[in-house]
Amino acid sequence: MGSILIYSTSFIVLILLLSRSIKNNRKIKTIINNVIKEINQTYKELFYKKGLLAIITQGGMVLCASILAFLSIFTSITRYLDVHFTGSLDLIFRIFAAIISFIIVHYCVGYILLISSKIHRFIYKVEDKTLKIDFICSYFITSTFLAVLVLFPDNFKDHIFLGLLMVIICYYLNLKVLLTILVKPTNVKSAKEEETSFARLMIASILLLVMLILNLYLAVCFVNSIGESVYLNSNGYFDLFYYTIITFTTIGYGDIIPTTIPAKIVAIIISVTSVICLTVFLSSVLSYKDTLKKDVE
């Protein structure tokens, strides 16, 4: 009973605070509504006004990847979140987890697709599909292997070298899209709201950065499956995820130690990737602010 009171109270208060903030700030509400409409329109463009091959490749890959990503998030929430309910409360919790999983997958992925399609549209007045296809392929690979890792961990270990090859390809595609967005941040604009382009850039960059971290995490998991004691003091996939995050942030507590050459190579790649992304990210932010100042003057 106490758990029900805690969860219900927290949920009600958060909803009230969020609704009050949106109600008091019409600009935020307008921006959110426009972004949601643009994301939904981006999904529609994957299936309409295209040839059959484009619908099967682009739309089909996004649909399959979204389903797999949804299953991975939903399974992770219900399996690893230590919450136990009985009867109808368990059903309500699973429905709530399904809704949260759908929102995360639908809007995060849709936002990146939206930004990818806008980058060259404002330069060449036509949409460059290369960037979007790169992201769709990387998203499809990441979501598929994450789904296999969560749902079928034994099968995940049976395809180490093929998995590493696909993760390398996915890593290259994600890094290419991220750097393309960050190198020229002024290219990412909204046709309706010019002043929100910087916020769009930041959100898209963060989402792509998360995708990149997931790529590196998959590489760590595949390397860990090569043999025994590859990572000392690691007791499961969550510990490997913790190790990936700590290494990416270059903190390195030293509680989990790579012992083999492939594991050490992956650790070097994670650290170098972190430095590259941080450097380009900061330089892009500073250059964009300088551009805004010049425009104002």
Side-chain angles (χ1 to χ4, degrees):
M1 187 63 184
S3 299
I4 297 176
L5 291 174
I6 291 174
Y7 285 117
S8 60
T9 302
S10 302
F11 179 75
I12 292 172
V13 170
L14 290 174
I15 292 297
L16 288 175
L17 291 175
L18 182 61
S19 61
R20 186 190 66 177
S21 300
I22 294 176
K23 185 177 181 180
N24 293 337
N25 196 329
R26 295 182 178 179
K27 184 177 179 180
I28 294 178
K29 186 177 180 180
T30 302
I31 293 174
I32 292 175
N33 289 334
N34 289 336
V35 170
I36 290 175
K37 290 179 181 178
E38 290 180 350
I39 289 174
N40 293 332
Q41 183 62 33
T42 301
Y43 278 113
K44 291 180 181 179
E45 290 176 357
L46 292 174
F47 296 95
Y48 295 105
K49 298 179 181 180
K50 293 180 180 292
L52 180 62
L53 182 61
I55 293 176
I56 294 175
T57 54
Q58 295 187 28
M61 287 175 65
V62 170
L63 181 61
C64 293
S66 298
I67 293 174
L68 292 172
F70 168 80
L71 292 174
S72 301
I73 296 174
F74 176 76
T75 304
S76 299
I77 292 175
T78 55
R79 180 184 297 177
Y80 297 110
L81 192 61
D82 190 17
V83 178
H84 303 283
F85 296 111
T86 57
S88 59
L89 289 178
D90 183 67
L91 178 61
I92 294 173
F93 171 73
R94 290 181 179 275
I95 293 174
F96 180 74
I99 294 173
I100 296 298
S101 302
F102 172 79
I103 292 174
I104 292 174
V105 172
H106 181 76
Y107 288 106
C108 287
V109 173
Y111 194 87
I112 298 178
L113 288 174
L114 173 64
I115 294 299
S116 298
S117 65
K118 286 179 177 290
I119 289 180
H120 292 279
R121 184 182 297 174
F122 289 89
I123 303 175
Y124 303 108
K125 304 301 180 181
V126 294
E127 180 181 354
D128 187 351
K129 298 180 178 61
T130 302
L131 203 64
K132 181 186 290 186
I133 294 175
D134 287 344
F135 171 73
I136 290 175
C137 291
S138 65
Y139 171 57
F140 183 68
I141 295 171
T142 302
S143 59
T144 301
F145 282 101
L146 280 176
V148 174
L149 176 63
V150 174
L151 302 175
F152 312 103
D154 293 333
N155 294 332
F156 182 84
K157 299 177 181 179
D158 296 335
H159 306 282
I160 297 173
F161 297 104
L162 177 60
L164 284 173
L165 175 62
M166 298 307 295
V167 166
I168 291 172
I169 295 174
C170 186
Y171 170 82
Y172 165 74
L173 294 176
N174 268 328
L175 193 61
K176 175 185 175 183
V177 175
L178 178 62
L179 294 179
T180 302
I181 291 178
L182 289 178
V183 166
K184 292 185 178 181
T186 53
N187 294 340
V188 184
K189 300 178 182 178
S190 172
K192 297 181 180 179
E193 298 173 353
E194 186 74 16
E195 68 275 7
T196 63
S197 58
F198 184 70
R200 290 169 176 268
L201 168 70
M202 293 300 102
I203 295 174
S205 300
I206 291 172
L207 292 176
L208 282 167
L209 195 60
V210 171
M211 290 282 293
L212 199 57
I213 292 174
L214 291 176
N215 292 157
L216 297 171
Y217 168 62
L218 286 172
V220 170
C221 292
F222 277 120
V223 170
N224 182 66
S225 302
I226 294 177
E228 299 292 334
S229 300
V230 177
Y231 293 94
L232 292 180
N233 304 323
S234 173
N235 297 319
Y237 289 120
F238 181 78
D239 286 349
L240 294 177
F241 181 72
Y242 159 81
Y243 165 80
T244 305
I245 297 296
I246 294 301
T247 307
F248 188 84
T249 55
T250 65
I251 296 175
Y253 288 121
D255 49 348
I256 298 177
I257 306 171
T259 58
T260 63
I261 292 179
K264 293 177 180 178
I265 291 175
V266 172
I268 294 173
I269 294 174
I270 294 174
S271 300
V272 172
T273 303
S274 173
V275 173
I276 293 174
C277 291
L278 180 61
T279 303
V280 176
F281 183 82
L282 291 177
S283 62
S284 299
V285 171
L286 294 176
S287 64
Y288 187 80
K289 287 186 176 181
D290 291 338
T291 303
L292 287 180
K293 289 181 181 179
K294 292 179 180 179
D295 292 339
V296 172
E297 293 174 356

